[in-house]
């Protein structure tokens, strides 16, 4: 008997539930890590642009670590290494509260922040110094000038690279399966090993990944159109 | 209101201000003339410490602007600065440019900030452009919006650094008219400009800056019509 491609076989009953949970977890992990990465990326950018050189070196070290150590290793360090350093009470609490999701989110978010601060810094460099001067002349202090005038412009300038970063983050959430996070790839493996429908299971996963990626790109293009700076 | 006392400014080995002394009184309009590189921009930028100085003092209302107890951000709220290149914030509408300082520094509620901004826009004749982005305005309109932004903070003095030099000739008039009406309403102003006509008509006092020093100062009629300094004579002859 020949092979029959039968995706319906992996999209029924508990297998469908597993896929749904997988997608939900993947999206939740993407969103949580994205928010962490953006927030931290902005903070790092503010810190490194302060007129105090040693801060710049600290951030540079941070960036180099996260860009040059494989992301999987970073995730494993957070999962196996970091909890050992925590006080017992906190460790117990973390372990009782889906530590794998939390730690994967932290690892992915911190790594993302390194890329985001690099993008933001080059965005800031492309804004004329006179914008900063005009903000200070109104009476804003450094932090206010950055928050209300410089960063809002820099963020608009870096929307295209940010879309790329978001896509990479979304795909990289699959690495979290290595520490047992029940995201889409992990669940796909599970469906595969219960049904032996390997091709069907991964075909479904592939289509889901592609659809969400396209949705992110469309959303990003929309944001870029709406928010792009009109300079001339 | 503003006193320069033997102000010296160096960029590295290059001395740009070589002992400038002069006073701007409340309600007075001072225009600052001088050829390119004579230090005009640098001098007015010392008032809000956009440039720090190496010698002498700049006093605002009798207080050294570089003094220890001075909150420079407070002081800057009281001194409006208008730039040659407008420097509007491109991500905000005209209205947003004006309300930003009112909301964030003056802590005005949104509606009050908006009302205040509209008053200023009315004054410069731009009420109908409130919701436009700066990129949609002409040069003259941008500069008037920038003036409205500075005025909204209710400054005690307005500093202008060549406000019409970046404009097409046909737009110079609309900006000068706004500045003239400001002067007539009693605003204290220091205006760096090459518009001799404006100096003659509006200024109470003209300063001629040469090589980092005020080499001639006085009422426009005296300084412009009977210049004693050779460099001022040639400066003026080039601008007839
Ligand atoms: N940031 C700076 N670093 C080094 N030199 C500077 C700087 N800013 C100004 N200068 C120099 O200081 C001198 C005076 O500059 P300033 O801009 O005050 O002249 P200005 O009278 O305003 O001239 P312009 O009419 O061209 O605007 C010039 O020789 C200029 O090259
Ligand atoms: Mg100048």
């Amino acid at each position: 008997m020949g092979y029959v491609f039968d995706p319906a076989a992996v999209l029924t009953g508990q297998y469908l539930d597993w896929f749904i949970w997988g997608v939900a977890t993947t999206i939740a992990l993407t969103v949580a890590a994205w928010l962490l990465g953006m927030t931290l990326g902005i903070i790092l950018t503010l810190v490194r642009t302060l007129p105090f050189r040693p801060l710049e070196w600290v951030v540079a070290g941070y960036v180099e670590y996260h860009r040059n150590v494989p992301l999987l290793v970073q995730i494993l360090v957070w999962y196996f290494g970091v909890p050992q350093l925590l006080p017992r009470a906190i460790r117990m609490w973390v372990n009782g509260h889906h530590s794998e999701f939390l730690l994967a989110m932290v690892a992915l978010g911190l790594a993302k922040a390194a890329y985001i601060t690099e993008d933001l810094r080059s965005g800031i460099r492309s804004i004329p110094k006179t914008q900063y001067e005009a903000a200070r002349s109104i009476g804003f202090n450094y932090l206010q000038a950055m928050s209300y005038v410089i960063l809002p412009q820099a963020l608009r300038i870096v929307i295209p690279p940010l879309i790329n970063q978001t896509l990479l983050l979304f795909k990289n959430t699959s690495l979290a399966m290595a520490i047992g996070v029940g995201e889409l790839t992990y669940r796909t493996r599970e469906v595969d090993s219960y049904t032996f429908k390997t091709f069907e299971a991964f075909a479904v996963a592939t289509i889901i990944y592609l659809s969400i990626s396209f949705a992110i790109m469309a959303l990003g293009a929309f944001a870029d159109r709406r928010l792009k700076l009109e300079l001339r | 209101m503003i006193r320069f006392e033997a102000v010296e400014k160096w960029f590295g080995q290059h001395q740009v201000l070589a002992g400038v002394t002069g006073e701007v009184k409340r309600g007075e309009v001072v225009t600052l003339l001088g050829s390119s590189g004579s230090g005009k921009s640098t001098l007015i930028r010392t008032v809000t410490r956009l440039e720090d100085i190496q010698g002498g003092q700049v006093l605002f209302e009798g207080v050294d602007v570089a003094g220890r107890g001075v909150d420079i951000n407070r002081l800057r709220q009281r001194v409006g600065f208008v730039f040659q290149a407008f420097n509007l914030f491109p991500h905000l509408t005209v209205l947003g440019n004006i309300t930003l300082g009112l909301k964030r520094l003056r802590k005005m509620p949104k509606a009050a900030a908006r009302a205040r901004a509209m008053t200023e826009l009315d004054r410069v004749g731009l009420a109908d452009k409130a919701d436009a982005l700066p990129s949609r305005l002409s040069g003259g309109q941008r500069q008037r919006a920038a003036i409205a932004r500075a005025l909204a903070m209710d400054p005690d003095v307005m500093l202008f650094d060549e406000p019409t030099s970046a404009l097409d000739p046909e737009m110079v008039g609309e900006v000068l008219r706004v500045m003239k009406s400001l002067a007539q309403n009693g605003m204290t102003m220091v205006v760096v400009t090459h518009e001799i006509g404006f100096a003659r008509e509006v200024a109470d006092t003209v300063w001629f800056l040469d090589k980092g020093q005020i080499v001639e100062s006085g009422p426009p009629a005296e300084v412009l019509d009977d210049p004693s300094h050779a460099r001022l004579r040639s400066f003026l002859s080039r601008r007839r």
Side-chain angles (χ1 to χ4, degrees), chain B residues 2-24:
Chain B
I2 300 172
R3 249 204 4 257
F4 301 99
E5 281 182 359
V7 173
E8 289 182 35
K9 169 75 188 179
W10 299 76
F11 285 114
Q13 294 296 304
H14 178 41
Q15 186 167 24
V16 174
L17 298 177
V20 173
T21 297
E23 179 165 13
V24 182

Side-chain angles (χ1 to χ4, degrees), chain B residues 50-106:
Chain B
L50 289 176
E51 306 287 353
D52 279 317
I53 58 177
Q54 282 77 48
Q57 273 190 330
V58 179
L59 304 165
F60 180 73
E61 306 263 46
V63 178
D64 183 354
V65 300
R68 280 182 172 279
V70 173
D71 178 348
I72 192 64
N73 298 316
R74 268 240 135 75
L75 188 145
R76 283 173 177 160
Q77 290 182 39
R78 302 173 57 194
V79 181
F81 204 110
V82 175
F83 299 87
Q84 179 174 348
F86 333 126
N87 300 354
L88 291 172
F89 306 135
H91 63 299
L92 299 174
T93 61
V94 168
L95 191 79
N97 266 272
I98 301 173
T99 54
L100 187 65
L102 297 175
K103 287 192 290 199
R104 302 296 186 175
L105 291 169
R106 291 284 149 78

Side-chain angles (χ1 to χ4, degrees), chain A residues 131 133 136-137 139 148 230, chain B residues 45 76 88 91 135-136:
Chain A
Q131 285 286 310
E133 236 172 35
R136 295 303 303 265
S137 289
Y148 304 141
E230 288 187 33
Chain B
R45 288 164 60 89
R76 283 173 177 160
L88 291 172
H91 63 299
S135 55
R136 299 297 164 91

Side-chain angles (χ1 to χ4, degrees), chain B residues 11 14 16 35-42 162 194:
Chain B
F11 285 114
H14 178 41
V16 174
S35 48
S36 183
S38 57
K40 307 181 296 293
S41 300
T42 307
E162 300 201 33
H194 291 297

Side-chain angles (χ1 to χ4, degrees), chain A residues 13-41:
Chain A
Q14 63 168 338
Y15 306 132
L16 181 61
D17 288 348
W18 290 355
F19 272 122
I20 290 171
W21 270 108
V23 172
T25 307
T26 289
I27 291 174
L29 190 54
T30 305
V31 171
W34 191 88
L35 290 175
L36 176 64
M38 278 305 277
T39 311
L40 189 62

Side-chain angles (χ1 to χ4, degrees), chain A residues 130-143:
Chain A
T130 50
Q131 285 286 310
Y132 177 74
E133 236 172 35
R136 295 303 303 265
S137 289
I138 291 173
F140 288 126
N141 62 30
Y142 165 80
L143 212 58

Side-chain angles (χ1 to χ4, degrees), chain B residues 154-168:
Chain B
D154 203 11
D156 297 324
V157 54
M158 291 279 287
L159 309 178
F160 297 82
D161 191 1
E162 300 201 33
T164 58
S165 295
L167 300 178
D168 293 337

